[in-house]
């Protein structure tokens, strides 16, 4: 998994997670956390939803309950799982309204 970014960043809530894949994994999870470490949203994607090379995943800026997230800095982790191999990348995103 290469070139993990979200655009726009900072966002007004909605954003797109982008990354490049060199192989199609079994699944990818995007976990979004508060700075304190609380998981607010998890996006799961299966291999059928992913493309070799460039991927763009939309997120509406809401938590698991459907509530809009507050202004601030959040961390997100993109976790790729292929067989026994697992790879993860952590990045920051900011929400400013």
């Amino acid at each position: 998994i290469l070139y993990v970014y979200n655009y726009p960043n900072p966002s007004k809530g909605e954003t797109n997670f982008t990354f490049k894949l060199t192989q199609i994994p079994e699944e990818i999870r995007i976990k979004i956390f508060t700075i304190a470490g609380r998981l607010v949203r998890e996006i799961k994607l299966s291999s059928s939803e992913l493309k070799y090379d460039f991927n763009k995943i939309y997120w509406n800026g809401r938590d698991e309950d459907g509530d809009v997230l507050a202004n601030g800095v959040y961390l997100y982790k993109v976790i790729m799982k292929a067989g026994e191999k697992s790879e993860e990348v952590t990045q920051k995103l900011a929400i400013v309204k």
Side-chain angles (χ1 to χ4, degrees):
I1 187 165
L2 304 167
Y3 313 118
V4 177
Y5 302 105
N6 72 296
Y7 180 82
N9 192 11
S11 78
K12 293 185 177 178
E14 298 178 352
T15 192
N16 289 288
F17 297 103
T18 61
F19 49 88
K20 183 177 178 180
L21 294 175
T22 56
Q23 68 182 58
I24 300 290
E26 291 164 18
E27 72 172 11
I28 281 200
R29 294 173 186 235
I30 302 171
K31 294 183 173 187
I32 300 138
F33 300 90
T34 63
I35 285 293
R38 184 174 67 86
L39 179 66
V40 292
R41 181 86 161 103
E42 182 175 7
I43 302 166
K44 295 179 190 174
L45 301 160
S46 65
S47 60
S48 62
E49 299 171 273
L50 298 167
K51 294 178 277 201
Y52 179 75
D53 205 33
F54 182 76
N55 287 268
K56 181 174 160 183
I57 311 300
Y58 171 77
W59 175 52
N60 62 5
R62 295 177 180 267
D63 66 12
E64 293 289 355
D65 298 326
D67 298 325
V68 176
L69 292 181
N71 286 348
V73 176
Y74 294 83
L75 298 174
Y76 65 94
K77 198 179 277 194
V78 180
I79 305 160
M80 178 187 93
K81 192 172 179 189
E84 296 295 312
K85 186 180 171 198
S86 182
E87 193 176 321
E88 62 182 57
V89 177
T90 304
Q91 295 280 18
K92 291 183 203 171
L93 77 92
I95 296 177
V96 181
K97 296 176 190 154

